[in-house]
């Protein structure tokens, strides 16, 4: 197949391009550096010529709800409109577990992306993924203040970014399990790792393995309206989710 990947240079995008090319597919790697702007639509028409499926793994580059929502919804609408004109048969969107349970923040922006993608005429499949193993390192750096790093108290069931890339490729090519249909009309599939973890513990173990002397402390925002939702396990997979290794510890042992 000829498959376009939006966000091809990102964490998942790099793995996804490699997986698709290894499978013999013709990959169009779309990114701003390649002359394709998802928000303005510049370069989309040319990039989507002859493309059968588009996989959107682009990142907004910000956690601000308003800015992220503007990016995600604008990109989704442009991919739908340009995809319809180009004869694209399917749009696959990478999302996050539990986004439909949150009232604000980055998760709400991803929920808005799902709705925008599903509002077009090109059929949509959504893969809602758990946090990546790499998320531990990101939060460790985001929360670092001198000798201490404040990491969110969060129950997660982390998954390898490469495993998510393989699942996205299967969705695009029809090799994976049939996703269920969500309320917005999009087909939805969930993926997570095999074991529940505490994000603070993940960051602590990562710092220790790296020899990083930073002290990791759990942080919660009492004003966060979604704090109880997170505590209740909103970011954990449902009973029909695909669970795939490696575990965080196995990934840590191999990666560090």
């Amino acid at each position: 197949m000829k498959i376009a990947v939006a966000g091809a240079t990102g964490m998942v995008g790099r793995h996804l391009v490699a997986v698709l090319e290894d499978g013999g597919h013709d990959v169009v790697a779309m990114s701003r550096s390649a002359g394709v702007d998802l928000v303005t639509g510049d370069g989309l028409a040319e990039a989507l010529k002859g493309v059968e499926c588009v996989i959107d793994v682009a990142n907004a580059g910000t956690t601000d709800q308003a800015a992220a929502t503007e990016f995600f919804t604008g990109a989704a609408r442009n991919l739908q409109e340009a995809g319809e004109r180009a004869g694209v048969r399917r749009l696959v969107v990478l999302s996050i577990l539990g986004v439909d349970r949150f009232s604000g923040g980055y998760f709400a922006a991803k929920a808005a992306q799902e709705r925008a993608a599903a509002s077009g005429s090109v059929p949509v499949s959504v893969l809602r993924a758990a946090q990546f193993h790499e998320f531990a390192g990101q939060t460790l750096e985001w929360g670092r203040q001198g000798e201490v790093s404040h990491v969110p108290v969060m129950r997660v069931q982390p998954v390898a970014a490469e495993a998510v890339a393989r699942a996205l490729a299967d969705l695009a090519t029809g090799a994976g399990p049939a996703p269920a249909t969500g309320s917005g009309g999009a087909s939805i599939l969930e993926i997570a790792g095999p074991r529940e973890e505490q994000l603070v513990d993940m960051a602590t173990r990562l710092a220790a393995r790296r020899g990083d002397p930073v002290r990791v402390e759990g942080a919660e925002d009492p004003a966060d309206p979604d704090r109880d939702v997170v505590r209740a396990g909103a970011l954990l997979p449902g009973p029909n989710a695909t669970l795939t290794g490696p575990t965080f510890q196995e990934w840590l042992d191999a990666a560090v």
Side-chain angles (χ1 to χ4, degrees):
M1 294 174 62
K2 187 173 185 180
I3 301 173
V5 176
T9 59
M11 181 189 300
V12 176
R14 294 193 297 270
H15 288 299
L16 181 55
V17 169
V19 168
L20 290 170
E21 289 181 340
D22 286 347
H25 301 288
D26 181 6
V27 180
V28 180
M30 299 193 299
S31 64
R32 282 193 295 270
S33 60
V36 181
D37 191 313
L38 298 180
V39 175
T40 65
D42 291 344
L44 267 180
E46 183 65 28
L48 296 184
K49 286 183 178 178
V51 166
E52 299 170 71
C53 179
V54 177
I55 309 176
D56 183 8
V57 295
N59 197 317
T62 177
T63 57
D64 177 76
Q65 181 179 347
T69 299
E70 182 179 4
F71 173 86
F72 285 129
T73 56
R77 286 191 293 267
N78 284 335
L79 285 172
Q80 268 286 357
E81 293 168 5
E84 180 183 9
R85 290 191 294 268
V88 170
R89 298 206 300 264
R90 178 159 298 278
L91 172 61
V92 176
V93 177
L94 176 61
S95 190
I96 307 171
L97 286 179
V99 291
D100 52 344
R101 304 174 199 170
F102 287 79
S103 60
Y106 186 80
F107 295 107
K110 290 295 289 183
Q113 177 192 24
E114 290 187 11
R115 293 191 295 271
S119 66
S121 62
V122 179
V124 177
S125 293
V126 175
L127 180 65
R128 289 179 178 172
Q131 282 64 37
F132 304 136
H133 293 323
E134 291 85 351
F135 189 54
Q138 292 174 327
T139 56
L140 191 66
E141 296 310 315
W142 292 339
R144 190 183 293 266
Q145 295 179 332
E147 297 178 351
V148 179
S149 179
H150 300 281
V151 172
V153 175
M154 188 179 291
R155 294 170 62 197
V156 295
Q157 196 157 319
V159 65
E162 187 174 2
V164 173
R166 290 195 297 269
L168 287 165
D170 286 346
L171 263 181
T173 60
T181 301
S183 58
S187 299
I188 298 175
L189 193 69
E190 294 186 348
I191 186 170
R195 178 178 173 179
E196 181 180 335
E197 303 276 1
Q198 291 285 346
L199 183 58
V200 172
D201 180 60
M202 290 168 59
T204 301
R205 287 149 63 192
L206 177 63
R209 180 58 60 89
R210 289 177 172 176
D212 186 341
V214 69
R215 185 174 75 256
V216 178
E217 295 183 357
E220 287 186 293
D221 180 3
D224 181 0
D226 293 316
R227 182 177 64 165
D228 290 340
V229 174
V230 174
R231 282 179 172 178
L235 297 175
L236 300 178
N240 297 319
T242 297
L243 304 183
T244 182
T247 65
F248 177 71
Q249 189 61 50
E250 290 168 341
W251 175 86
L252 190 61
D253 291 341
V256 179

